[in-house]
Amino acid sequence: MSPANTSSLGRDAGLECLQDSLLDSLQKVETLLHEDANAFPLIGSVSKYILDSGGKRIRPMLVLLIARYFGELTRQHLSLAAAVESLHTASLLHDDVLDDATVRRGRASVNRRWGNITSVLMGDYFHTKTLRLLVKLEQPEVLNIISKATTCLIEGEIMQFDSKNNWAAGEPQYLDIIRKKTGVLFQAAAQAAAVVAEASIDIETSLKKFGMHFGLGYQLVDDLLDYTGLPGQLGKTTGNDLAEGKVTLPLIYALSQNKIDRSRLAEAVNTQDEEELAHAVKAVRDSGGLEYTRNMIKREREKARDCLNELVSNDSRSKLAELSDFALMRSI
Ligand code: FPP
Ligand code: MG
């Protein structure tokens, strides 16, 4: 048995059937993700810790299902699937430092357990692992798609950082940020999988658009759950966005409806007064902002479905729809 097996996968009742149908390939992806981490014990320990923390491997599954849609699953698709997950892992290791997170996937985040320096360097480690996996593909177009996506991820994070505590930030600015920080990676994964399969330009475009709607919906769900989720269910702390001054859609809606007093909100975030923060979260919940966000998630899900309908119907197309439904219905 390889050092990794699929027991490291985050299992979820809604996802198990799909994971089971891809088990053999997912196991190979796990092996690629875990290998080459033994240059120094700390690298091995942190790498194993983050990879075995119960990630659901949604992005690798997206790549693998697209590969299957076209027929035989190739070695290239396995490397791409691992590369995309490795990039996602890198981004979480950096993100938890930026957000000063304490919990990720139900346990102490790497920054919490080993400190910020280790988390940043391990993020760099996984970022360069992504590059090594992609170089092996010998497909400059794929390298181009994923490296452009990485730039977008960083742009999205910088834009988000810059808009912290900006209570005047509106929906277009928010959508721009989540498109870049989350949508683009789903889009790039889907497009690159189509390129590796030598898809026609029309199908590549449909899959690319599917990836973007899927990714946008995914981040909207994440931002909704920050107001509605139970920590045990999410594997991370909730109610953080508002306290951190992160202006996401539920809050943008509440502000647009004048359901929240801006100066009281600014003061609450400034002083971190728990009662005042709880009052603001309740005001967002009561404002209709959650319903508004849920409606946008539904629309992204429908648009994702429409893109899939541009593909011929087969078992993998149905599974792609199942995957996006699973991810976008967690909150509804
Ligand atoms: C999670 O958002 C974070 C992202 C979607 C992207 C983070 C990207 C970076 C930090 C840039 C990474 C750079 C390289 C080179 C890899 P969130 O904080 O809203 O979600 P969370 O609640 O899961 O933390
Ligand atoms: Mg975060």
Side-chain angles (χ1 to χ4, degrees):
M1 180 61 94
S2 59
N5 62 47
T6 42
S7 64
S8 54
L9 279 183
R11 303 292 265 174
D12 187 298
L15 205 56
E16 260 184 11
C17 275
L18 274 177
Q19 288 176 331
D20 286 345
S21 73
L22 293 166
L23 214 51
D24 188 44
S25 314
L26 282 171
Q27 184 157 345
K28 289 180 180 144
V29 171
E30 291 307 299
T31 302
L32 288 171
L33 282 167
H34 281 80
E35 71 187 11
D36 294 338
N38 48 10
F40 188 71
L42 184 59
I43 295 181
S45 316
V46 180
S47 174
K48 190 165 163 40
Y49 182 83
I50 185 83
L51 291 172
D52 292 355
S53 65
K56 295 192 222 8
R57 307 297 189 248
I58 303 249
R59 295 159 191 81
M61 288 171 79
L62 173 63
V63 170
L64 298 174
L65 286 173
I66 291 176
R68 284 250 185 110
Y69 170 83
F70 291 101
E72 269 309 281
L73 222 158
T74 61
R75 184 185 58 80
Q76 270 103 330
H77 277 118
L78 293 172
S79 293
L80 175 63
V84 165
E85 185 65 18
S86 181
L87 180 55
H88 170 58
T89 306
S91 77
L92 294 184
L93 287 162
H94 285 180
D95 181 68
D96 283 345
V97 172
L98 298 177
D99 289 348
D100 201 14
T102 53
V103 182
R104 169 71 64 191
R105 293 172 180 160
R107 47 180 167 162
S109 52
V110 169
N111 57 313
R112 177 71 166 194
R113 185 160 164 187
W114 282 278
N116 283 349
I117 293 177
T118 301
S119 200
V120 168
L121 289 173
M122 285 305 294
D124 294 342
Y125 169 85
F126 277 102
H127 179 208
T128 49
K129 183 180 176 82
T130 303
L131 296 178
R132 284 186 281 122
L133 284 160
L134 291 175
V135 164
K136 275 195 230 154
L137 292 187
E138 295 183 1
Q139 294 209 28
E141 195 181 345
V142 171
L143 194 54
N144 190 30
I145 292 167
I146 304 294
S147 52
K148 275 188 178 163
T150 311
T151 304
C152 275
L153 239 74
I154 296 164
E155 287 169 358
E157 278 294 307
I158 289 191
M159 285 158 65
Q160 178 172 274
F161 181 67
D162 190 55
S163 73
K164 255 191 180 180
N165 298 338
N166 176 6
W167 315 117
E171 199 174 302
Q173 193 174 338
Y174 165 77
L175 290 176
D176 217 17
I177 290 172
I178 67 167
R179 210 171 277 129
K180 287 192 173 224
K181 78 168 195 175
T182 306
V184 163
L185 184 52
F186 280 75
Q187 172 179 270
Q191 186 188 6
V195 168
V196 171
E198 298 178 6
S200 71
I201 193 72
D202 285 354
I203 300 297
E204 179 187 323
T205 305
S206 300
L207 284 167
K208 187 177 162 183
K209 285 193 293 173
F210 167 71
M212 176 53 83
H213 293 303
F214 187 174
L216 270 181
Y218 194 85
Q219 187 61 47
L220 284 162
V221 169
D222 204 68
D223 293 344
L224 176 67
L225 290 176
D226 191 80
Y227 282 92
T228 62
L230 305 167
Q233 169 199 358
L234 285 184
K236 57 189 174 192
T237 47
T238 52
N240 284 346
D241 287 349
L242 185 140
E244 284 170 16
K246 227 186 239 182
V247 189
T248 61
L249 194 59
L251 177 58
I252 290 172
Y253 181 84
L255 286 166
S256 75
Q257 302 298 305
N258 296 320
K259 302 283 186 193
I260 290 192
D261 183 283
R262 277 167 210 252
S263 52
R264 189 170 168 185
L265 171 66
E267 180 69 9
V269 173
N270 200 21
T271 57
Q272 292 290 298
D273 182 301
E274 280 184 21
E275 246 177 63
E276 280 296 306
L277 288 171
H279 169 85
V281 167
K282 185 174 178 317
V284 171
R285 288 196 182 126
D286 294 343
S287 71
L290 305 182
E291 210 38 48
Y292 185 78
T293 307
R294 278 193 189 97
N295 283 335
M296 195 175 288
I297 295 166
K298 272 187 205 146
R299 285 203 298 278
E300 289 307 322
R301 186 176 146 239
E302 279 156 18
K303 286 183 200 166
R305 281 245 174 196
D306 289 345
C307 295
L308 286 182
N309 287 337
E310 291 164 16
L311 273 57
V312 292
S313 163
N314 67 16
D315 179 59
S316 299
R317 187 185 84 164
S318 310
K319 289 197 166 104
L320 281 166
E322 252 178 72
L323 181 67
S324 57
D325 279 353
F326 161 79
L328 305 191
M329 285 170 72
R330 310 184 270 161
S331 62
I332 313 269

